[in-house]
């Protein structure tokens, strides 16, 4: 399935499959981004800071949100560009072992120079608990 601008329905909701976060995932993100802060690498340090163990980077969670959303294949044939993430809030820590999924709702759409601008409310959830809340704006093709 690939959604074009004309297919977007405000209020329509999509939910991704679940993904389990591992210590290896967090370590790979550390290496990729060169962010080796001890909150992400040292369980004792993280516990002293009030967490049960190492925590994932907030930006790892945000990137994972985009990846999980991509697995829905909503824009395989219609995506032009991400125009940005807004109103990003890291509400709860992401921990190794957490099982998360994304819930996304279309909240706005408008035409712009023969293309569509679509706004999505995107949430990363651990069960029913919102871990990250954000707004994403995409530029997508129109069918015509």
């Amino acid at each position: 399935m690939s959604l074009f601008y004309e297919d977007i329905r405000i209020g329509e909701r999509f939910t991704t499959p679940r993904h389990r976060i591992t210590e290896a995932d967090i370590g790979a993100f550390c290496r990729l981004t060169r962010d080796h802060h001890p909150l992400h690498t040292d369980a004792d340090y993280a516990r002293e800071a009030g967490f049960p163990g190492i925590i994932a980077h907030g930006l790892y969670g945000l990137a994972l949100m985009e990846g999980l959303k991509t697995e829905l294949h909503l824009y395989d044939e219609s995506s032009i560009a991400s125009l940005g993430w807004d109103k990003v809030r890291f509400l709860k820590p992401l921990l190794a072992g957490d099982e998360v999924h994304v819930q996304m709702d279309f909240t706005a759409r408008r035409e712009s120079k023969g293309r569509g601008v679509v706004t999505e409310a995107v949430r990363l959830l651990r069960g029913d608990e919102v871990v990250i809340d954000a707004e994403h704006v995409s530029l997508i093709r129109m069918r015509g």
Side-chain angles (χ1 to χ4, degrees):
M1 168 175 69
S2 194
L3 299 177
F4 290 80
Y5 177 74
E6 295 85 351
D7 304 318
I8 303 301
R9 302 290 171 252
I10 302 305
E12 188 170 14
R13 174 171 288 173
F14 294 89
T15 302
T16 69
R18 299 184 186 283
H19 171 78
R20 185 169 306 280
I21 296 170
T22 67
E23 283 192 27
D25 292 338
I26 296 168
F29 196 82
C30 286
R31 286 185 296 284
L32 181 66
T33 62
R34 302 173 57 91
D35 179 351
H36 296 275
H37 190 280
L39 282 173
H40 313 302
T41 61
D42 183 333
D44 291 333
Y45 181 93
R47 279 191 285 278
E48 287 176 20
F51 300 104
I54 65 167
I55 61 172
H57 310 68
L59 291 177
Y60 167 77
L62 189 63
L64 180 61
M65 289 167 74
E66 181 64 24
L68 289 172
K69 228 172 38 110
T70 300
E71 289 180 350
L72 292 172
H73 302 283
L74 297 178
Y75 305 123
D76 282 354
E77 298 171 27
S78 59
S79 179
I80 298 171
S82 170
L83 298 179
W85 288 83
D86 299 305
K87 302 177 185 172
V88 177
R89 294 292 174 261
F90 303 118
L91 303 172
K92 305 280 183 181
L94 273 175
L95 310 168
D98 280 354
E99 190 174 85
V100 297
H101 67 282
V102 166
Q103 208 172 60
M104 182 200 87
D105 304 288
F106 291 117
T107 60
R109 63 179 227 152
R110 66 180 173 82
E111 290 184 32
S112 177
K113 301 178 184 173
R115 301 174 187 178
V117 177
V118 177
T119 304
E120 312 154 346
V122 188
R123 294 162 302 283
L124 185 69
L125 294 110
R126 175 177 47 228
D128 292 331
E129 179 181 44
V130 179
V131 178
I132 301 174
D133 188 37
E135 182 178 272
H136 182 240
V137 181
S138 294
L139 185 65
I140 65 172
R141 290 181 172 85
M142 299 180 85
R143 284 195 184 281

